[in-house]
Amino acid sequence: MTRLGWLLLLAFVLIVGGFFAIVKRERGPSPEIATAERANAPAATTSPTAAPQGGLVIPVSGIRSEQLADSWGDARGDGTRAHHAIDIMAPRGTAVVAAAAGRVEKIFESRDGGHTVYVRRADPAWVDYYAHLDGYAPNLMQGMRIGQGQLIGAVGSTGDADPAAPHLHYEIKRMAVGEQWWQGIEINPYPILAGRPSAR
């Protein structure tokens, strides 16, 4: 193909890509996030706190690594299951941000987790799960790309969380090729975010 042919092909791709970007923007929020519009808006985002290791940021604004507690393995459901995440305690409405860049794979209303978001990282072998949210960030939609530190929602106590103890349930899942958002193997986020080993 000649240089002129390549330039024409590139121009065509850019025009078509721009058209689809405009169409996608004009569709508005999906029905799956209608609950978010009824929920309280998240608090204003502050700069996320960088985790000392792992390339992640702590997903609750204003929380430092020394404030984290290792709740991995704690009993849940009256002792019927183990907790495969950490709970990051914070006042209701505190901004929840993306620990890593990725794509919103699923916005889901869960009996136990309440308002939840699954984000598949740029490395598709990892999924971050955010649960018990009080509400979602405005215009958060499945399929959208988000940057590290970008607003996802707000700390809450939806699902089976204690209303008197709002927190973010944060889970990291290692995914095998082809696994979907509900699958994967959970790993303890505490050593990664806190920069020190788990005591468990």
Side-chain angles (χ1 to χ4, degrees), residues 18-122:
F19 171 78
F20 282 113
I22 291 168
V23 169
K24 186 173 182 181
R25 191 178 307 131
E26 291 176 351
R27 277 191 290 183
S30 68
E32 292 175 321
I33 60 169
T35 307
E37 296 171 356
R38 294 191 299 271
N40 294 331
T45 305
T46 61
S47 297
T49 306
Q53 295 178 357
L56 303 179
V57 296
I58 295 173
V60 177
S61 288
I63 298 295
R64 299 181 311 278
S65 60
E66 60 270 19
Q67 294 174 277
L68 298 173
D70 190 1
S71 55
W72 177 270
D74 288 355
R76 292 292 188 270
D78 295 323
T80 60
R81 66 183 191 278
H83 190 232
H84 289 157
I86 62 169
D87 290 336
I88 304 175
M89 310 307 288
R92 186 180 312 282
T94 303
V96 171
V97 299
R103 183 179 55 81
V104 177
E105 185 154 319
K106 187 71 175 175
I107 296 172
F108 185 67
E109 295 302 315
S110 165
R111 185 192 69 202
D112 294 336
H115 304 325
T116 69
V117 177
Y118 293 78
V119 175
R120 191 172 293 257
R121 295 187 198 166

Side-chain angles (χ1 to χ4, degrees), residues 168-189:
L168 172 68
H169 170 104
Y170 176 64
E171 190 173 300
I172 298 175
K173 296 163 62 146
R174 173 78 176 174
M175 311 298 283
V177 174
E179 283 191 316
Q180 302 299 309
W181 57 273
W182 68 89
Q183 299 171 309
I185 297 171
E186 301 91 352
I187 66 164
N188 189 352

